[in-house]
Structures are given as structure tokens and as C-alpha cells.
Amino acid sequence: MTTVIEVQELHKRYGDTVAVADVSFRVDEGEIFGILGSNGAGKTTTVECVEGLRRADGGTIRVLGLDPVRDRAELTQQLGVQLQDAHLPEKLRVGEALDLYRSFYRTPADPAALMAALGLDEIRGTRFGKLSGGQQQRLSIALALIGNPRVAVLDELTTGLDPRARRETWRLIEDVRARGVTILLVTHFMDEAERLCDRVAVIEAGRVVAVDSPAALTKRAAAELGVERATLEDAFVALTGEHADVH
Amino acid sequence: MSTDALRRLTATEFTLFLRDKVGPIFGVLFPTALLCVFGNIDFFTDPANGIDGQPLLHTYTPILVGFVIAMLALNTLPPTLASYREQGVLRRLRTTPVGPARVLGAQFAICLATAVVSVILLLAVARLAFDVPLPRQPFAFALSALLAALALIGIAVLVAAVTPTAKAANAIGSVLFYVMMFFAGLWLPIQAMPAVLRHVSEATPLGAAVQALSDAGAGHWPPAWRLLLLAGYVVVTALLGIRLFRWE
Ligand SMILES: Nc1ncnc2c1ncn2[C@@H]1O[C@H](COP(=O)(O)OP(=O)(O)OP(=O)(O)O)[C@@H](O)[C@H]1O
Ligand SMILES: [Mg+2]
């Protein structure tokens, strides 16, 4: 298996705040790799360093063998990105946004198929400012995939989507992976991680506390908790225990 | 990067510019409407009230050209650029092969092209409806207008660079617009200003621009220092803008 994403000893500060203390992981070709962690754990910072949006303060990152900051021109052709929060111009219509982003790439995907898969057909003439949160999110997923990327980094893939849209999005992601695309996925949803991810990294306070398949993590949690069956949520709560917010 | 992407990006930004309506209405229709209002007031057309023996309307034509440029640069660019940055539009583009700099390029091109259309409309209506002669030194006129537009675009980028939100950029842009239009002689033509005020006005970007346009309109080249002053504004604002503008 070829390694597509390699993050080694990543370190990133914002002034005095250490957002990422020490994060390392590898993602193989065709894998769906999840990043889980509490709010503020450093997930977005990590993936933004992978995307080349932020410059790491320490460590090395390679995506398809490319340095995300130095080799931007080539990497952006092959890497699709969904940001946790980024908007489009208020008055830009859904169809126009897809046509525009499509023109940026050498070998773009078929916009009609993407629109159908994400339920964007009915709103293709709607302006971005008039879309609901979930509709904006679906457009943002479409734009991440419109360049026919070899690697997709999706930050909070289905946040804000209704249950039906979530399932449809999961199916789309599985289809995309079936074509050999490698996917790095940040999520807060344990069912999403269990359904989609081959392996997940759990990040806590800027450090990786576990990397394994969801099944292995739940098995280990069951053993540690001395119960017959544990859920991924049990495993997550146990792993992030010391720093997690107390409710 | 393909030329198709550049064309598409510019066309899309232009569509948004039209949809926004501020530029087309206030940058194209409004200045010519203002000319028509002035042109129908006897005070502006009677040579007896004029400066240097020509009707006030002739004096006001270059001022309105400055108005077009300032309106397009200061009232459309800063809020657009600041909102693109505030909402993450530029950040999103940073993850694509095209990058955010080209959006700025497209915005400048749209601003310049709209200014050309608007100035041509203004001069044509002035000539056909109110007998204001066309610029007698067209090349100097075009050069002065171009330098003025570039200087004001530079100032607009600076405004967008130092303001955190689209709202603030809008407010500062429009205050600057009124201040610059004052020095450009919208309320009192520079030729009629007291000496001290006139010197100050001639040192401001739009004041210098309007004087250069008046010179060219009357058929002679503006003094070199005037054009150099405008070029200086272009260079300084461009350098500062590149240093200060942030994509996020
Ligand atoms: N631009 C920034 N400037 C300063 N501090 C930041 C910035 N972005 C993030 N941080 C801080 O860095 C830490 C990690 O933030 P990050 O956004 O990576 O977390 P996250 O795991 O994605 O959280 P969430 O689940 O809430 O999205 C947090 O303490 C956050 O306050
Ligand atoms: Mg995040």
C-alpha cells in the first residue's frame, strides 16, 4: 500500500496557544481516515496544515509526496478541500459556483452527477446567501469533489445535514472512495466514523492518543471498561477523558 | 492555470458586480444623471458665471470624471474585497489551483472597464446634449484618467487591507469618497478655491487627477510633476497594498 498522506511530529502554535503539540499519522491510498477529538483539540489546525493553508511550526507533511506549502500549484490540482467554515459570494448561484470551480481544474468531475448525488439540482439557480445551512454544506462538499481529486480533506463533512442528506452524503463518499480516492475526514459523529472510516486518529489537546480501526477501538474500550460491548462513543469518551469538558 | 479559468472567474465576478447594482447605478448612471441636472441649470451653462470665460459645466465635466473613478474604486472595491476576506471566499480559493490573487485582478479589471464605459458615456452626453467639447488632448486625458483610476484602486485596496469587516470598509470607503471629492472640487471647483486650499487639493490624488484632466481637456499636456505625483500615488499604494493586504 502506498502512503498518500504522511504527517510527522506536526507542531503548530498561534501566538502562545499550542494548537497542535505533536501529531503523526499516515493515510494509505484509498483509505478513509477519520480524525476525532473534542472541540479545540486541534483537528482543523491539523488538516489545514495538510491542505497547505497554514504553515507548520515543526514537523513534516507530505501529501502524494508533495510539500503542501512549497508544491501548492501541483497539490491544489489533486487535493479537494471542504473547509469547516468558508462561504461563497452571497449572490453567486449554486450552478455558477460549480461551473466556476470546475474551470479551475485540469480534469474536472461531471457536475451533473455531483449535483444529483448531493440533491443540488432543485437549487441550482439559488443564490448562496439564500441557501439553508445544510444546503451550503452540500454545495461545499460538491466543490471539494468537483476537481476530481486524488485526495479529499473534509472538515466536519455532515455537520448541519438532515438524516437523509447525511446518508446520501455517506453513500457519495463511499462511491468516491471506490474510485480510489483517499479521504481524510474530520468528524464529531461516531456513527459516521464507524460507518465510513477504515481507521481513525483520536486527537486530544494537540496530541494523538489513539490510531486504530473503529472496531479495534471499541473492543479495547470494552476490555478496559469491563463490559461486554462498548460503542465508539464509549471509546472516545474514555480516550479523551482527562481533558474533555465536564457537563 | 488555464485561460478558461481566468475568463470564467472574471465573467463570474462581473455578473456579481452587475447583480450588486451599486457599481452600475452609482458608478455609471448617477454621474451622467448629475451632469444632466447641472446641464439644465442656467447657472452652470451661462458663460457669465463661469471660470476662465467658459461655462461652469465645462469645468465640472472633469470633476465628474473624477467622481466616476472615485465612486467605482472607493464605494465598490473595499466592501467587496473585505467581505470576500471576512466570509472566507479568498481562503476557499487559496485551496484551489487558481488562488485568491486572481479575484483581485478580476475586480480591478472590472473597475477599470466600467470606468471606461462610464467616462465615455459621460463625455458623449456632455458633448451631444450640452455642447461641452470633447477633450482636446485625448491621449493626455486618457493617461491622466488611467493613472487616477490606478491610484484610487490602490487606495481602495489599502482601505480593504486595514479594515476588519465589510461594514467598516464600506464606511471608510464612503467617508474617503466625500473627502476626496471635496478636494477634487465637487462643491467648489479647484480653480475657485483660495490659494492654500488649492495647493492642498492639487496634492491629493483626486485633486491632481481633476487638474490633469482639465489641462488635457483644454488641449495641453498637464505639467510633468502632476503626472509624476499621480504615478507616485499608484506606486506607493500598490506597494503598501501588497504588504498589508491579508487573504484571511
Ligand atoms: N486562527 C487562530 N488563532 C488563534 N488560535 C486559534 C486559531 N484557530 C484555532 N485556534 C486555537 O487552536 C486550538 C485548536 O483549534 P482547532 O480549530 O484546530 O480545533 P478543532 O479540533 O478543529 O475544534 P472544533 O471541533 O471545535 O472544530 C483551539 O484552542 C483554538 O482556540
Ligand atoms: Mg474544527
Side-chain angles (χ1 to χ4, degrees), chain B residues 156-224:
Chain B
V157 172
L158 279 183
V159 172
V162 299
T163 46
T165 64
K167 250 194 170 130
N170 204 358
I172 294 184
S174 39
V175 168
L176 262 186
F177 170 79
Y178 286 110
V179 173
M180 295 231 179
M181 280 318 301
F182 171 80
F183 288 118
L186 183 62
W187 288 275
L188 179 68
I190 293 175
Q191 295 92 325
M193 285 179 182
V196 175
L197 187 55
R198 190 165 69 231
H199 292 315
V200 174
S201 294
E202 287 187 334
T204 69
L206 212 55
V210 167
Q211 289 298 73
L213 292 167
S214 301
D215 292 340
H220 38 85
W221 272 86

Side-chain angles (χ1 to χ4, degrees), chain A residues 14-15 17-20 37-46 48 54 84 155-156 186 188:
Chain A
Y14 299 110
T17 332
V18 176
V20 176
S38 321
N39 292 133
K43 304 180 297 298
T44 296
T45 305
T46 300
E48 285 184 350
R54 297 194 186 277
Q84 188 176 351
D155 197 348
E156 305 215 355
V186 174
H188 284 299

Side-chain angles (χ1 to χ4, degrees), chain A residues 4 9 31 42 44 46 51 91-93 117 124 129 134 137 139 145 159-160 162 166 174-176 213 223 236 238:
Chain A
V4 167
E9 292 165 23
E31 199 176 15
T44 296
T46 300
E51 291 152 2
K91 294 188 169 115
L92 187 63
R93 302 198 170 112
R124 66 169 307 154
Q137 180 82 353
L139 176 56
L145 300 173
T159 300
D162 64 55
R166 281 181 79 203
E174 284 167 341
D175 288 349
V176 169
S213 67
F236 177 84

Side-chain angles (χ1 to χ4, degrees), chain A residues 48 52-54 72 76-77 81 83 86-93 96 99-101 103-105 127 143-144, chain B residues 1-2 4-6 8-9 12-13 15-16 19-20 84 87-98 248:
Chain A
E48 285 184 350
L53 274 183
R54 297 194 186 277
R72 285 209 71 61
T76 48
Q77 281 287 353
V81 170
L83 297 175
H87 286 231
L88 293 169
E90 294 283 296
K91 294 188 169 115
L92 187 63
R93 302 198 170 112
E96 292 168 343
D99 285 343
L100 175 65
Y101 272 66
S103 74
F104 295 169
Y105 297 93
R127 296 172 176 199
L143 294 181
Chain B
M1 234 248 341
S2 71
D4 180 47
L6 260 192
R8 174 82 63 169
L9 185 69
T12 305
E13 289 300 320
T15 308
L16 294 174
R19 254 176 225 164
D20 196 42
Y84 279 10
Q87 296 173 350
V89 173
L90 300 177
R91 190 174 154 70
R92 179 65 185 84
L93 281 167
R94 278 188 62 206
T95 69
T96 72
V98 167
E248 45 191 80

Side-chain angles (χ1 to χ4, degrees), chain A residues 183-240:
Chain A
I183 292 167
L184 182 61
L185 177 79
V186 174
T187 183
H188 284 299
F189 300 117
M190 298 302 132
D191 55 344
E192 182 164 295
E194 271 187 300
R195 156 94 187 246
L196 289 179
C197 298
D198 302 303
R199 289 186 304 140
V200 299
V202 180
I203 296 185
E204 181 57 16
R207 289 176 197 281
V208 177
V209 291
V211 182
D212 218 328
S213 67
L217 288 177
T218 49
K219 211 166 148 194
R220 200 177 331 145
E224 276 168 23
L225 296 168
V227 295
E228 196 157 328
R229 286 175 66 107
T231 61
L232 187 57
E233 191 159 304
D234 295 331
F236 177 84
V237 170
L239 283 164
T240 58

Side-chain angles (χ1 to χ4, degrees), chain A residues 65-178:
Chain A
L66 302 167
D67 179 315
V69 174
R70 217 182 43 228
D71 307 319
R72 285 209 71 61
E74 188 48 36
L75 185 64
T76 48
Q77 281 287 353
Q78 313 208 28
L79 181 79
V81 170
Q82 182 215 339
L83 297 175
Q84 188 176 351
D85 48 8
H87 286 231
L88 293 169
E90 294 283 296
K91 294 188 169 115
L92 187 63
R93 302 198 170 112
V94 169
E96 292 168 343
L98 280 159
D99 285 343
L100 175 65
Y101 272 66
R102 186 177 191 276
S103 74
F104 295 169
Y105 297 93
R106 281 194 297 256
T107 50
D110 173 16
L114 266 180
M115 288 213 282
L118 287 160
L120 294 171
D121 276 327
E122 316 85 89
I123 51 167
R124 66 169 307 154
T126 309
R127 296 172 176 199
F128 184 81
K130 296 251 155 73
L131 298 177
S132 74
Q135 291 170 331
Q136 292 184 351
Q137 180 82 353
R138 284 189 264 158
L139 176 56
S140 159
I141 297 167
L143 294 181
L145 300 173
I146 191 78
N148 226 346
R150 285 180 63 195
V151 185
V153 179
L154 310 164
D155 197 348
E156 305 215 355
L157 176 67
T158 60
T159 300
L161 296 192
D162 64 55
R164 181 184 303 277
R166 281 181 79 203
R167 293 199 174 187
E168 280 160 7
T169 303
W170 290 346
R171 259 199 296 281
L172 173 68
I173 295 302
E174 284 167 341
D175 288 349
V176 169
R177 183 263 285 281

